[in-house]
Amino acid sequence: MSASLHDVVILGSGPAGLTAAIYTARASLEPLVLEGEPSSTGDQPGGQLMLTTEVENFPGFPEGIMGPELMMNFKAQAERFGAKMETVKASRVDFSERPFKIWVGDPEAAEPTYLARTVIVSTGAEALMLGLPKETELTGHGVSTCATCDGFFFRDHDIAVIGGGDSAIEEATFLTKFAKSVTIVHRRDELRASKIMQDRAFANPKINFQWDSHVVELKGDTKLEGLVIENTKTGERSDLTVTGMFVAIGHRPNTSIFKGQLAMKDSGYLITEHPSSRTNVEGVFACGDVQDDYYRQAITAAGSGCTAAIDAERYLEEHGVEVDHPDWRPEERQG
């Protein structure tokens, strides 16, 4: 069977990918969205918000909205305008020639599954987790990877932050606005964070430190009730009574299939030509957390999805594809 050709193929279905789908669908480009597949690592259709309970900081929902419901709304809106969804994950891409080639399933297959005139990469990034039993089940029920998203829910709680880098210290400092106390649990006897971040943490009366320690067990069945901590030097174990745990040991962008084809930072995040979404390959655009290692918010991802869609629309029109563009006018282009 020969591969089908599409004007736009979107890889990923989080806020960035589905916003790009809404915009390109409204432009009558009938985008194909490869949503991804559920996996044990947390990769799944809808992105990380599918693992989130209540979302209170997405504009337009004054009473908040559940993460999965929000993403279902995104998807329904994209489908309403003609976006096509496939619950599959790209296993290989070839951006060396046009049309671009995308494989699903066997990456060694001779023929690609899809061909694309443009590709929007929105495969996101996954938070690194501790890999402990109950961790997935308790995510959204005391376990979190985003202080900005969930800190408000822990007002007057005793909570723990796992990690010792800048991200961990920044999260801990932010959480002191809400929490009764914050305990930083770190494997070593000194932090890896920058000196200015360390100084702020040491000076904050709400922040405590559990040095040379790592978490070995989460307590609680339906919600987090505490942690079991083990000393990395002595092996001694102790209980830490907290009702919140924020894991801040880093993120991993989902970019492995783009290595050698798209320019990326040493950390694996894709490089885009600011303020656009253009990558180093003409006709390939990137948006959302796959290229954002700083903000990592649903709303900023959605905004960058809009950028990628308009960039793709303009690229296609410049290359002879008829685009019905209700959301932008070429005469207003800057530069």
Side-chain angles (χ1 to χ4, degrees), residues 199-259:
D199 290 345
R200 289 174 184 168
F202 292 143
N204 193 314
K206 284 190 174 183
I207 296 180
N208 307 305
F209 296 88
Q210 189 89 29
W211 301 110
D212 297 317
S213 300
H214 66 128
V215 181
V216 293
E217 183 183 340
L218 308 185
K219 302 175 73 174
D221 294 322
T222 59
K223 63 180 180 179
L224 185 70
E225 298 175 356
L227 308 175
V228 177
I229 306 297
E230 181 178 86
N231 187 285
T232 58
K233 293 181 176 178
T234 66
E236 181 181 355
R237 293 189 173 189
S238 59
D239 290 335
L240 180 62
T241 303
V242 294
T243 50
M245 180 183 79
F246 288 77
V247 183
I249 57 176
H251 289 76
R252 180 189 299 113
N254 299 315
T255 55
S256 58
I257 66 170
F258 310 116
K259 288 182 178 178

Side-chain angles (χ1 to χ4, degrees), residues 6-329:
H6 302 266
D7 286 328
V8 181
V9 173
I10 299 170
L11 307 181
S13 59
L18 291 181
T19 299
I22 291 168
Y23 272 76
T24 52
R26 274 174 51 83
S28 300
L29 291 171
E30 297 183 343
L32 173 66
V33 180
L34 305 189
E35 296 183 89
E37 296 176 323
S39 74
S40 60
T41 62
D43 181 33
Q44 63 181 307
Q48 293 298 304
L49 280 185
M50 295 298 288
L51 302 175
T52 304
T53 50
E54 192 168 9
V55 178
E56 291 196 322
N57 59 0
F58 199 91
F61 299 94
E63 302 301 321
I65 185 171
M66 301 300 284
E69 182 184 0
L70 178 61
M71 295 319 302
M72 289 300 100
N73 288 347
F74 269 70
K75 181 178 179 180
Q77 189 172 358
E79 290 179 320
R80 174 192 166 200
F81 293 117
K84 308 299 182 185
M85 306 286 170
E86 294 285 346
T87 309
V88 296
K89 182 178 180 180
S91 56
R92 175 186 166 196
V93 297
D94 182 354
F95 296 153
S96 64
E97 59 181 6
R98 295 174 180 79
F100 303 122
K101 299 180 179 68
I102 301 166
W103 281 258
V104 166
D106 182 7
E108 302 302 323
E111 297 297 326
T113 313
Y114 304 108
L115 301 174
R117 292 189 175 94
T118 63
V119 173
I120 295 176
V121 178
S122 56
T123 48
E126 58 183 292
L128 299 178
M129 301 298 286
L130 302 178
L132 295 173
K134 299 185 181 180
E135 193 171 28
T136 300
E137 293 84 348
L138 292 176
T139 296
H141 302 279
V143 175
S144 175
T145 60
C146 179
T148 306
C149 311
D150 299 330
F152 178 81
F153 300 113
F154 292 86
R155 188 175 295 278
D156 297 325
H157 287 230
D158 293 309
I159 60 181
V161 172
I162 315 304
D166 278 348
S167 294
I169 305 310
E170 185 175 8
E171 297 250 303
T173 303
F174 175 81
L175 288 167
T176 59
K177 297 178 182 179
F178 309 102
K180 182 191 301 183
S181 71
V182 178
T183 299
I184 295 174
V185 180
H186 187 42
R187 285 179 167 272
R188 302 176 178 83
D189 58 4
E190 60 181 7
L191 300 172
R192 294 180 289 106
S194 59
K195 187 176 186 304
I196 189 170
M197 296 294 291
Q198 292 190 43
D199 290 345
R200 289 174 184 168
F202 292 143
N204 193 314
K206 284 190 174 183
I207 296 180
N208 307 305
F209 296 88
Q210 189 89 29
W211 301 110
D212 297 317
S213 300
H214 66 128
V215 181
V216 293
E217 183 183 340
L218 308 185
K219 302 175 73 174
D221 294 322
T222 59
K223 63 180 180 179
L224 185 70
E225 298 175 356
L227 308 175
V228 177
I229 306 297
E230 181 178 86
N231 187 285
T232 58
K233 293 181 176 178
T234 66
E236 181 181 355
R237 293 189 173 189
S238 59
D239 290 335
L240 180 62
T241 303
V242 294
T243 50
M245 180 183 79
F246 288 77
V247 183
I249 57 176
H251 289 76
R252 180 189 299 113
N254 299 315
T255 55
S256 58
I257 66 170
F258 310 116
K259 288 182 178 178
Q261 300 194 66
L262 297 181
M264 57 183 71
K265 301 177 182 179
D266 291 341
S267 58
Y269 286 86
L270 298 184
I271 297 172
T272 52
E273 184 183 326
H274 183 77
S276 78
S277 64
R278 291 188 293 269
T279 68
N280 61 302
V281 175
E282 187 177 351
V284 178
F285 308 90
C287 56
D289 289 5
V290 75
Q291 53 82 55
D292 175 14
D293 59 358
Y294 187 79
Y295 295 103
R296 294 196 293 264
Q297 299 296 302
I299 189 64
T300 53
S304 69
C306 168
T307 299
I310 293 176
D311 287 343
E313 291 169 22
R314 290 175 173 174
Y315 172 86
L316 287 168
E317 187 165 69
E318 289 165 359
H319 287 77
V321 175
E322 184 175 344
V323 179
D324 178 11
H325 41 71
D327 297 309
W328 61 277
R329 294 188 293 275

